[in-house]
Amino acid sequence: MRHGKRTAKLGRTGEHRNAMLANMVCSLIKHGRITTTLAKAKAARPYAEKMMTLAKNGSLHDRRNAASRLHQEDMVRKLFNELAEDYKDRPGGYTRIIKLEQRRGDAAQKAILEWVEGSADASETDADDSSQEVELEAEVISDSAEVKEEQPEVSEQETETTEEESKDSERQSG
C-alpha cells in the first residue's frame, strides 16, 4: 500500500522522472515560463521552489546541492546570481501555475509554470495577459483556417483541358 507516498510518478521510472523535472526547472530558469501539462507543472513546482530557496541562501554548499540536482552549471549560475536577488525578500511562493485549455490530441490539461514577478497585482495582470495571448493565438488559428478555405476553386474548363493533356501525353508515350 502507498500510504503517505505523495510523489507523482508521471508514468516514468525514478531516474527518468528526476531528469525530466531537472530539465523542466532548467528551462524555467532559462526562459522564465514553460508550457507543459498540469500534472508535470504540479510536480515541477516544488522542485523549482526548493532550488530558489537554495539560491536565496547562497552558500557554497547550497550551490553544490543545486548543481547536483540540476546538472547544468550555467543555469545554476543564473539562478544564484540573477534570480535569487529578485526574490530575496519573498518568504516563499516563487512560482505560479496558470491553467490553459486541453491539448487537442489527448485532451491533457495544459498549464503554464512561471516565476512570480512582484506583487499579487502583477500576478493578476500576468494572468490576464496570458489569457489574452491564448485568445490571440486562437484568432490567428481561425484566420489561417479562413485563408485555407478561400483558396480559388479550379473551373470545369481547366479540369477538362488538363484531362485532355494527360490523355495526349499517354498516347505519345504508349
Side-chain angles (χ1 to χ4, degrees):
M1 285 189 250
R2 294 190 69 235
H3 294 294
K5 311 285 190 278
R6 298 188 60 205
T7 303
K9 292 197 172 187
L10 303 173
R12 290 161 172 81
T13 62
E15 293 175 356
H16 186 185
R17 184 173 52 249
N18 290 336
M20 180 194 66
L21 293 174
N23 286 332
M24 289 177 67
V25 172
C26 287
S27 295
L28 180 64
I29 292 167
K30 185 176 184 178
H31 301 289
R33 163 188 285 197
I34 57 172
T35 303
T36 183
T37 63
L38 183 61
K40 288 179 188 174
K42 286 182 176 182
R45 183 181 205 170
Y47 204 90
E49 302 265 345
K50 288 172 188 168
M51 293 300 108
M52 182 57 74
T53 302
L54 290 175
K56 280 177 50 178
N57 293 337
S59 68
L60 179 61
H61 180 67
D62 291 331
R63 186 178 290 265
R64 287 179 175 165
N65 278 340
S68 72
R69 291 188 183 121
L70 295 180
H71 308 294
Q72 294 183 21
E73 189 59 41
D74 53 339
M75 291 301 115
V76 173
R77 205 172 296 120
K78 181 176 180 180
L79 176 67
F80 276 73
N81 296 339
E82 298 171 19
L83 293 176
E85 295 171 4
D86 297 339
Y87 297 99
K88 191 165 283 215
D89 297 329
R90 191 175 185 88
Y94 311 111
T95 58
R96 90 170 53 96
I97 295 175
I98 301 170
K99 293 181 182 180
L100 297 176
E101 74 282 356
Q102 291 182 333
R103 192 163 50 201
R104 185 171 183 176
D106 60 355
Q109 180 71 42
K110 292 193 317 185
I112 295 175
L113 177 63
E114 65 183 2
W115 296 112
V116 175
E117 299 166 346
S119 64
D121 297 334
S123 67
E124 292 172 4
T125 57
D126 286 346
D128 293 339
D129 291 344
S130 66
S131 64
Q132 290 173 355
E133 289 173 5
V134 170
E135 290 172 6
L136 288 175
E137 289 175 8
E139 289 177 13
V140 169
I141 291 170
S142 65
D143 290 343
S144 64
E146 290 173 8
V147 169
K148 289 179 182 176
E149 291 173 2
E150 294 176 3
Q151 293 177 350
E153 295 181 15
V154 179
S155 68
E156 292 180 21
Q157 293 175 349
E158 291 176 3
T159 50
E160 289 176 7
T161 56
T162 55
E163 289 175 6
E164 290 173 6
E165 291 172 0
S166 63
K167 289 179 183 178
D168 290 337
S169 62
E170 287 176 13
R171 288 180 196 151
Q172 291 173 358
S173 64

